[in-house]
Structures are given as structure tokens and as C-alpha cells.
Amino acid sequence: MWKASAVTDGTSKQITPGLRLALDYGPLVVFFGFNFLMPGLPIVRLMAATIAFIVAIGAAMVVSLAKAGRISPMLWLTGVLVLVFGGLTLYFHDARFIQMKPTIIYGLLAALLAFGLLTGRPLLQQLLESAYPGLTELGWRKLTVNWMIFFVAMAILNEIVRNNFSQDFWVGFKLWGVIPLTFLFVIANMPMLMKHGLQTEPPKSEP
């Protein structure tokens, strides 16, 4: 989902793919690290990880604003939901609140993409156009449908895992299940994207 060269977020400032990756996944790594390394009962470890997650998300938003000149809509959405559901988890000492957050994020993203399709607004294209140069209108529509289906499936999967397995299993699933599934999904879309005009190499400059 990232270009090999530096990418822009609609401002004069540039951020590298490595920094974007760190902003997107760094807070999750912090959450997993605290949950796995902290001693004590599962709920104690989860609460410590939740506090670290809130701090890491806040730091990611500050870095994004400083380096890119803006905070991406996805980071805003994640930050707000982490603050709300993380706060509820800490207040009630109940892991269910932070465990519901991914379901809500996936559901909201699927609903936004569906709204864009119904109203003729290419929301995904507006967000990711620089990452998929040359992709045709039909390609963007198919990619939007695929992502919408993926988000719905991940929301359902999160509910199945959090309601039927232990807290530690759910955390492990977030690390060893969600991230690999997301990358596999991105790779699985490549043949369709290539078929619909995706450029994998920068255009050659004319002499």
C-alpha cells in the first residue's frame, strides 16, 4: 500500500513509507509489547497495554502533524476510538471495551466505503490515489468493494475471537492474525489491480 519513494499527504511536506508504516503500526506494536512483557494477571497486563496504547497513539498524531503537516483521517478515527474505548476499559476494568474497538473501526470503514459507492464518491481513491498510479475507474470500484468485504469479514472475525477465546488469544490474534491477513489481502488484489492499469514502475522521462 506504500510507494517505494517518499509520499505526500496532500501538503508540501513529505513523509517516507517507513515513517508512515511506523505511524500506522507503531502504537499496535507498543500495545502488544506491553501486554506480552508486563507481569501479572491478564486484565492487569491489558490495562497497562491500553495506557501505553493511548500514549502511543497520541505520540503518533503529534509526529504526523509535525512531519506531514496533518493527521490522516484514519489516524484521527483510531485515536478517538482508542481514547474512548481505552478509557472505558480503564474505568470499568473490563477488557470488552478495548476488544470491541476493532469491530467498530472495521464497521465504520465498511460503511464509509459503501456510502461512497452509493453516492458516486470515490473515497478510497481520494485516500490512496498516489499509492495506485494509473488504476482505472473500474479498478478503483473493484478495489473499494474488495476492501469493504474485507472490513466486514474482519469485524465478524474479531467478534468471533473476542467472544469465544481468551483475552491472551485475542491479543495474539491481533498480532499474528490481523496483520498477516491484511498483507495477504493486499497482495491478493495485485493481479486485479495490474489488470486494471496499475503502474508498478515510474513512467520513463522523455529525452
Side-chain angles (χ1 to χ4, degrees):
M1 296 175 64
W2 302 276
K3 296 176 66 179
S5 58
V7 295
T8 62
D9 277 336
T11 71
S12 58
K13 297 182 179 181
Q14 293 183 334
I15 56 174
T16 64
L19 178 57
R20 173 54 60 199
L21 190 65
L23 293 175
D24 289 341
Y25 290 100
L28 282 175
V29 172
V30 171
F31 177 80
F32 297 138
F34 268 78
N35 187 82
F36 285 127
L37 298 177
M38 284 289 294
L41 297 173
I43 186 61
V44 174
R45 289 187 280 110
L46 183 68
M47 291 182 65
T50 299
I51 294 173
F53 197 14
I54 293 173
V55 173
I57 283 287
M61 296 173 76
V62 171
V63 172
S64 180
L65 185 61
K67 295 295 185 179
R70 66 191 290 268
I71 299 173
S72 68
M74 184 62 188
L75 191 55
W76 268 118
L77 176 62
T78 303
V80 170
L81 290 179
V82 165
L83 181 61
V84 171
F85 286 92
L88 290 172
T89 295
L90 297 174
Y91 183 80
F92 290 105
H93 291 66
D94 192 334
R96 289 177 297 177
F97 292 105
I98 198 67
Q99 289 177 324
M100 286 189 295
K101 177 190 68 67
T103 301
I104 295 174
I105 289 180
Y106 292 135
L108 286 174
L109 291 174
L112 286 172
L113 293 181
F115 174 78
L117 286 176
L118 293 174
T119 58
R121 300 176 182 179
L123 300 179
L124 191 68
Q125 183 176 0
Q126 293 173 10
L127 291 173
L128 299 177
E129 187 167 17
S130 62
Y132 295 104
L135 192 61
T136 65
E137 182 178 348
L138 179 59
W140 279 112
R141 183 174 182 82
K142 288 186 175 182
L143 184 62
T144 299
V145 172
N146 289 350
W147 273 109
M148 184 175 63
I149 294 172
F150 177 77
F151 286 140
V152 171
M154 293 304 293
I156 294 172
L157 187 56
N158 186 71
E159 287 300 293
I160 291 173
V161 172
R162 80 174 187 88
N163 284 299
N164 294 280
F165 297 92
S166 68
Q167 176 184 305
D168 284 341
F169 185 91
W170 175 82
V171 174
F173 164 75
K174 291 286 293 177
L175 177 60
W176 304 112
V178 172
I179 294 177
L181 285 173
T182 302
F183 279 103
L184 286 175
F185 172 80
V186 172
I187 294 172
N189 275 280
M190 289 306 296
M192 181 276 293
L193 297 174
M194 297 286 291
K195 181 179 178 181
H196 291 283
L198 177 65
Q199 299 175 6
T200 57
E201 297 181 0
K204 296 180 180 179
S205 57
E206 296 182 1

